[in-house]
Amino acid sequence: MKIKKGILLIDQHDKNGFWGGKFGGNFIPETLKKPVEDLTILFEKLRKDKKFIKERDYYFKNWAGTPTPFIKLENLTNHLGGAQIWTKVVSDLNGGAHKILNATVHCLIAKRAGRKYVTGDTGAGYAGKMLSMAAKKFGLKCKIFMGAKDIKRQKPNCDAMRKNGAEIVPVYSGSQTLIDAVSECMRYWVSNCDTTHMCVGSTVGPNIFIKICGWSTSQISKELIVQIKNEFGEIPNKLKLINCVGGGSSSYGFWNEFMDYNKKQVEFIGVEAGGPRNSKKHAAPLTNNSKIGVLHGSMQYVVQNSDGQIEETESISAGLDYSGVSALHCFLKDAGRARYTSATDEKALEAYKLVTKYENLNPSLEPSHAFAEAIKIAPRLTPDTVICVNSCGDAQKDRDILKKRLGKY
Ligand SMILES: Cc1ncc(COP(=O)(O)O)c(C=O)c1O
């Protein structure tokens, strides 16, 4: 399985929508064939339309708040010794996470398609919060599907969605987390696709949703490559880009512009949710060699039992608590371009504690998984190695969990 150079990874699928011949595709009911085809035609047209790109760039800059800072974590670096640790503070975006990029693009598309309603899924609440913000900005009505367990553990983001006028539909089926929210949202779209635009909150789902999301979050690495060159004069010989992986949208966006560099020079490290230390459950299909299956319209590595039934996952981080993973990451794994590992709940909490002790940074539980890996490997490396962690979300939403587990927030 090979990645082609000079072609965006989102475009390296075959005519049936599969990356590497086996990941992705369009496993959708008959009723969605036409809406998915229409959306594909519209998006492929819009992404080449200079006026649309100008509009996207305008809202990214003047509303979403790009570019975000790229800073050195000097205290953490000095404390750990070894490699330099840098971060891209994507959590500085309007609303506090990268999900604003995908939500903005989806609402701009919805407007071009003449839709008045948008619907979306959410786990950590950021995808929902951002869709509610963009919907409000562009005059669209918004309905968000969210697992009942996540509604309880991510209250600040739910409050924000309601404040923005969005309706939250609680999902009580299955594990009452992200996987069930995505399923319910897709079910809703099947019956309402004539009036409603659907925003999938990560690089998952049928092929076109993976593409729209990846195209949107690539903004992160477009900025980062310029910032790194400005800082170091060139791309360092040993650069490690570490990102948490749930559905995979922040990591894909963080890596995209560096795709054609040799992996020895620019290594991609994806960190999945290992779950509680003493639990058999996890949300790490790539790390744990899960088998291939179909989830949410797409072929991918997915946590499943020996009968092929999708298994429930467990993680302290609602945004990573998902049984599947983007087809793009399955492709990156099989092509050997990215390395995937996992961090337990406990390691993520320890990382949060250490980062906030030494730095004025407040990474949510999702990027705290990525920081756990950075903290693990930095001391074994030399100072000419540059580690950059995507701090893709703010921990404000996690304040109740952090208070409970660490005694303070
Ligand atoms: C802050 C944050 N980071 C990471 C994720 C994981 O999603 P993805 O892998 O698509 O970036 C989420 C998902 O909700 C999130 O809110």
Coordinates of all heavy atoms in Angstrom, one line a residue, residues 96-99 122-127 178 201-203 213 243-251 318-320 364 366-367 392-394 397, ligand 1:
G96 N -12.8 27.2 21.1 CA -11.9 26.3 21.9 C -11.4 25.0 21.2 O -10.8 24.2 22.0
A97 N -11.6 24.8 20.0 CA -11.1 23.6 19.3 C -11.1 23.7 17.8 O -11.8 24.5 17.2 CB -11.9 22.4 19.8
H98 N -10.4 22.7 17.2 CA -10.3 22.6 15.7 C -11.7 22.4 15.0 O -11.8 22.6 13.8 CB -9.4 21.5 15.3 CG -9.8 20.1 15.8 ND1 -9.8 19.7 17.1 CD2 -10.3 19.1 15.1 CE1 -10.3 18.5 17.2 NE2 -10.6 18.1 16.0
K99 N -12.7 21.9 15.8 CA -13.9 21.5 15.2 C -14.6 22.8 14.5 O -15.5 22.6 13.7 CB -14.9 20.9 16.2 CG -14.3 19.7 16.9 CD -14.5 18.4 16.1 CE -13.9 17.2 16.8 NZ -13.8 16.0 16.1
T122 N -22.0 14.8 18.0 CA -20.9 15.3 18.8 C -20.6 14.3 20.0 O -21.5 13.6 20.4 CB -21.2 16.7 19.4 OG1 -20.0 17.3 19.8 CG2 -22.3 16.7 20.5
G123 N -19.4 14.3 20.4 CA -19.0 13.4 21.5 C -18.6 14.3 22.7 O -19.2 14.5 23.7
A124 N -17.4 15.0 22.5 CA -16.9 15.9 23.5 C -17.7 17.2 23.6 O -17.6 18.0 24.5 CB -15.4 16.3 23.1
G125 N -18.6 17.3 22.6 CA -19.4 18.5 22.6 C -18.9 19.6 21.7 O -19.6 20.6 21.4
Y126 N -17.6 19.5 21.3 CA -17.0 20.6 20.5 C -17.6 20.6 19.1 O -17.9 21.7 18.6 CB -15.5 20.5 20.5 CG -14.8 21.2 21.6 CD1 -13.8 20.6 22.3 CD2 -15.2 22.5 22.0 CE1 -13.2 21.2 23.4 CE2 -14.6 23.1 23.0 CZ -13.6 22.5 23.7 OH -12.9 23.1 24.8
A127 N -17.7 19.5 18.5 CA -18.3 19.5 17.1 C -19.7 20.1 17.1 O -20.1 20.8 16.3 CB -18.3 18.0 16.6
L178 N -20.4 8.8 21.5 CA -20.2 9.3 20.1 C -20.7 8.4 19.0 O -21.4 8.8 18.1 CB -18.8 9.7 19.9 CG -18.4 10.3 18.5 CD1 -19.2 11.5 18.2 CD2 -16.9 10.6 18.4
G201 N -18.9 15.2 12.3 CA -18.0 16.0 13.1 C -16.5 15.6 13.0 O -15.7 16.2 13.6
S202 N -16.2 14.5 12.3 CA -14.8 14.1 12.1 C -14.5 13.6 10.7 O -15.5 13.5 9.9 CB -14.4 13.1 13.2 OG -13.0 12.8 13.1
T203 N -13.3 13.1 10.5 CA -13.0 12.5 9.2 C -13.5 11.1 9.1 O -12.8 10.1 8.8 CB -11.5 12.5 9.0 OG1 -10.8 12.2 10.2 CG2 -11.0 13.8 8.4
C213 N -14.2 17.2 5.7 CA -13.6 17.4 7.0 C -12.1 17.6 6.9 O -11.5 18.5 7.5 CB -14.0 16.3 8.0 SG -13.4 16.6 9.7
N243 N -0.3 13.8 17.8 CA -1.7 14.2 17.9 C -2.5 13.1 18.4 O -2.3 11.9 18.1 CB -2.1 14.6 16.4 CG -3.3 15.6 16.4 OD1 -3.1 16.6 15.8 ND2 -4.4 15.3 17.0
C244 N -3.6 13.5 19.2 CA -4.5 12.4 19.6 C -5.4 12.0 18.4 O -5.5 12.8 17.4 CB -5.4 12.9 20.7 SG -6.4 14.4 20.2
V245 N -5.9 10.8 18.4 CA -6.7 10.3 17.3 C -8.0 9.7 17.9 O -8.0 8.8 18.6 CB -6.0 9.2 16.5 CG1 -6.9 8.7 15.4 CG2 -4.7 9.8 15.9
G246 N -9.1 10.4 17.5 CA -10.5 9.9 17.8 C -11.0 9.4 16.5 O -10.7 8.3 16.0
G247 N -11.8 10.3 15.8 CA -12.2 10.0 14.4 C -11.0 10.3 13.5 O -10.8 9.6 12.5
G248 N -10.2 11.2 13.9 CA -8.9 11.5 13.2 C -8.8 12.8 12.5 O -8.0 13.1 11.6
S249 N -9.7 13.8 12.8 CA -9.7 15.0 12.0 C -8.6 16.0 12.4 O -8.0 16.7 11.5 CB -11.1 15.7 12.1 OG -11.4 16.2 13.4
S250 N -8.3 16.1 13.7 CA -7.3 17.1 14.1 C -5.9 16.5 13.6 O -5.1 17.3 13.1 CB -7.3 17.3 15.6 OG -7.3 16.1 16.3
S251 N -5.7 15.2 13.7 CA -4.4 14.6 13.4 C -4.2 14.7 11.8 O -3.1 15.1 11.4 CB -4.3 13.2 13.8 OG -5.6 12.5 13.7
A318 N -14.3 12.0 26.0 CA -15.5 11.8 25.2 C -15.2 11.9 23.7 O -15.7 11.2 22.9 CB -16.6 12.7 25.6
G319 N -14.2 12.7 23.4 CA -13.9 13.0 22.0 C -13.1 11.8 21.3 O -13.0 11.7 20.1
L320 N -12.5 11.0 22.2 CA -11.7 9.8 21.6 C -12.5 8.5 21.8 O -12.0 7.5 21.4 CB -10.3 9.7 22.3 CG -9.4 11.0 22.3 CD1 -8.1 10.7 23.0 CD2 -9.2 11.5 20.9
S364 N -7.4 20.0 26.7 CA -8.5 19.1 27.1 C -8.0 17.7 27.2 O -6.8 17.4 26.9 CB -9.6 19.2 26.1 OG -9.3 18.7 24.9
E366 N -8.5 15.2 25.4 CA -8.1 14.6 24.1 C -6.6 14.9 23.9 O -5.8 13.9 23.8 CB -9.0 15.1 23.0 CG -10.4 14.6 23.1 CD -11.3 15.4 24.0 OE1 -10.9 16.4 24.5 OE2 -12.4 14.9 24.4
P367 N -6.2 16.1 23.7 CA -4.8 16.4 23.5 C -3.9 16.0 24.7 O -2.7 15.8 24.5 CB -4.7 17.9 23.2 CG -6.0 18.5 23.7 CD -7.0 17.4 23.5
C392 N -5.3 20.6 20.6 CA -6.4 20.9 19.8 C -7.7 21.3 20.5 O -8.7 21.6 19.9 CB -6.6 19.7 18.8 SG -6.8 18.2 19.6
G393 N -7.7 21.2 21.8 CA -8.9 21.6 22.5 C -8.6 22.1 23.9 O -7.6 21.8 24.5
D394 N -9.5 23.0 24.4 CA -9.4 23.6 25.7 C -10.1 22.7 26.8 O -11.2 22.2 26.5 CB -10.0 25.0 25.7 CG -9.7 25.7 27.0 OD1 -8.7 26.4 27.1 OD2 -10.6 25.6 27.9
K397 N -14.2 22.4 29.1 CA -15.4 21.4 29.0 C -15.2 20.2 30.0 O -16.1 19.5 30.3 CB -15.5 20.9 27.6 CG -14.4 19.9 27.2 CD -14.6 19.2 25.9 CE -13.4 18.3 25.5 NZ -13.3 17.1 26.2
Ligands
LIG1 C1 -10.6 18.7 21.5 C2 -10.8 17.5 20.7 N1 -9.7 16.8 20.3 C3 -9.8 15.7 19.6 C4 -11.0 15.1 19.3 C5 -11.0 13.8 18.6 O1 -11.5 13.9 17.3 P1 -10.6 14.0 16.0 O2 -9.7 12.8 16.1 O3 -11.6 14.0 14.9 O4 -9.8 15.2 16.1 C6 -12.2 15.8 19.7 C7 -13.5 15.2 19.4 O5 -14.5 15.6 19.8 C8 -12.1 17.0 20.4 O6 -13.1 17.6 20.9

